[in-house]
Amino acid sequence: MGDGRRYVGVAERRARLALRQRLAGSVRAAGPEEVAGSLVALHGSDPATVHLAVGARLADPGRTVAETERALYTDRTLVRMHGMRHTVFVFPTDLTAVVHASTGITVAAKERAALLKQMAAAGAPDAAWLKEVEESTLAALARRGQATAAELAEDEPRLRQRFAYAAGKSYEGVHTVSTRLLKVLGVEGRVVRGRPLGSWTSSQFRWAVAPAHPELDVAEAQASLLGRWLAACGPATEADLKWWTGWRVTEVRRALAAIGARAVTLDEGTGYVTADDEAPVDEPAEPWAALLPALDPTAMGWRQRDWYVAPELRPALFDYSGNVGPTVWWNGRVVGGWAQRPDGEIVWRLLDTEGVGREGEAAIAAEGERLQGWVGATRVTPRFRTPLEKELA
């Protein structure tokens, strides 16, 4: 290019995605820790997404549920906690301190201030009272190991106290102290989601004390997190980075400078890679297909998505809030969607047949059978449903 920057085209970006996101058959992972480490973060708002995202990338998907539960709840090598954009993710445990310092501190301060303001408006007790309750709650949680909000309220009855929220507004409601306080403690990185009450698809869960971690410098933590993500997902534009992190643009630019990121040229403008990642990347040796779940970190990974999902496909595959549904992939691009019917059958539909052919359809069908094999009779319904998923289901 005339500006001296290397051009990274769509084909190479798709090759990087296939290899670094562990989607090509030759690079599938041995365990959930490898998957989370490669992707940096797995969306955890919908518990089923975590398992489905792992299963799509394991060499042996039959081990998905047992191995993911081991990592999350026994070995604690993965942790489910609040992260970027005030969203729940699953991270490698060694990233806990980085995530908390880089994204959690600012959000946590706003959450606590909002809770105290709402309690005061409702005539509820003050900050000193709330501090007593939270210290008692954390002590009870440490004794129990893991507990539901109801179980913690047995030890600390003040958690059951209720207060009105947004009185007089269209969205007014009544909250218990436990609901709001545990959320604040989660954003502050003091508690994390524990084992679910039901199966791996359950959205009801226990709480656990967060793993101990050092307090890091915010700017250093932001540089560390951005560097990890850019190594997995680069090249990415400034808009991609700002969207994924939820930071201000000045924070993104500071972190890019701190890691010595290199500018490259993309079809949509300037992108960035880490300092040691400018060399070209070859395509995978073999073509590949994948069935990825709703909110999968690959499908949601970038703000600017034209290079892997055509704009005309989005109305069928995304909901009105921008959450992606289950997607079908062929060689680095989204070509359709899938769903599970009430009897447990996995079904899929192509929305873009260009370049797929018989080979692609056969590979997609094999992925459907692979998914069916380990999910079995477990019924999985995405938390955020999309038009094509609802139609197929």
Side-chain angles (χ1 to χ4, degrees), residues 35 39 42 48-58 292-293 296-297 374:
V35 175
L39 295 167
L42 304 174
T49 293
V50 177
H51 289 77
L52 292 168
V54 169
R57 296 167 170 86
L58 287 186
L292 301 185
D296 186 88
W374 74 264

Side-chain angles (χ1 to χ4, degrees), residues 24 57 75 100-101 111 124 126 133 139 148 178 207 217 219 236 264 279 291 298 303 314 324 330 352 357 359 383:
R57 296 167 170 86
D75 296 348
H100 172 65
E111 280 292 311
D126 61 11
V133 174
T148 65
S178 64
W207 292 95
D217 175 77
V264 296
L291 269 62
T298 297
R303 180 176 179 83
R314 294 178 195 172
V324 71
W330 175 242
D352 179 0
E359 179 187 29
R383 180 177 176 184

Side-chain angles (χ1 to χ4, degrees), residues 132-356:
E132 286 183 11
V133 174
E134 72 180 68
E135 289 177 353
S136 174
T137 299
L138 289 169
L141 188 56
R143 289 193 301 270
R144 286 179 176 266
Q146 293 195 24
T148 65
E151 289 169 339
L152 290 171
E154 294 174 4
D155 299 333
E156 175 45 87
R158 288 177 290 183
L159 287 171
R160 299 193 186 101
Q161 186 155 330
R162 299 160 70 86
F163 66 95
Y165 168 74
K169 302 291 181 66
S170 61
Y171 50 89
E172 70 174 291
V174 177
H175 289 175
T176 60
V177 170
S178 64
T179 301
R180 295 299 304 280
L181 178 59
L182 287 168
K183 180 181 178 182
V184 169
L185 293 174
V187 177
E188 290 177 341
R190 301 172 72 186
V191 300
V192 296
R193 267 71 168 172
R195 188 179 293 275
L197 297 182
S199 73
W200 57 273
T201 65
S202 175
S203 59
Q204 294 183 305
F205 53 87
R206 298 172 177 86
W207 292 95
V209 175
H213 59 78
E215 294 298 326
L216 304 179
D217 175 77
V218 171
E220 291 179 3
Q222 288 179 335
S224 177
L225 184 64
L226 185 138
R228 286 276 290 263
W229 187 82
L230 205 56
C233 301
T237 66
E238 194 174 87
D240 292 328
L241 295 165
K242 182 177 181 296
W243 175 82
W244 189 84
T245 59
W247 303 338
R248 298 187 301 271
V249 67
T250 53
E251 294 175 303
V252 170
R253 290 172 179 170
R254 181 181 66 191
L256 285 170
I259 65 170
R262 304 297 176 84
V264 296
T265 299
L266 308 175
D267 288 339
E268 58 265 47
T270 299
Y272 296 91
V273 295
T274 59
D276 58 353
D277 194 26
E278 288 187 281
V281 173
D282 294 331
E283 293 184 12
E286 72 288 342
W288 60 275
L291 269 62
L292 301 185
L295 295 178
D296 186 88
T298 297
M300 290 289 290
W302 297 263
R303 180 176 179 83
Q304 297 170 305
R305 299 167 177 151
D306 288 1
W307 59 277
Y308 65 90
V309 56
E312 59 269 23
L313 271 57
R314 294 178 195 172
L317 296 173
F318 289 77
D319 71 7
Y320 291 116
S321 298
N323 300 302
V324 71
T327 50
V328 174
W329 293 67
W330 175 242
N331 284 342
R333 63 189 179 95
V334 176
V335 294
W338 65 272
Q340 187 186 41
R341 289 182 173 157
D343 64 359
E345 180 188 6
I346 301 294
V347 294
W348 52 274
R349 179 185 298 168
L350 293 181
L351 300 178
D352 179 0
T353 59
E354 182 181 353
V356 178

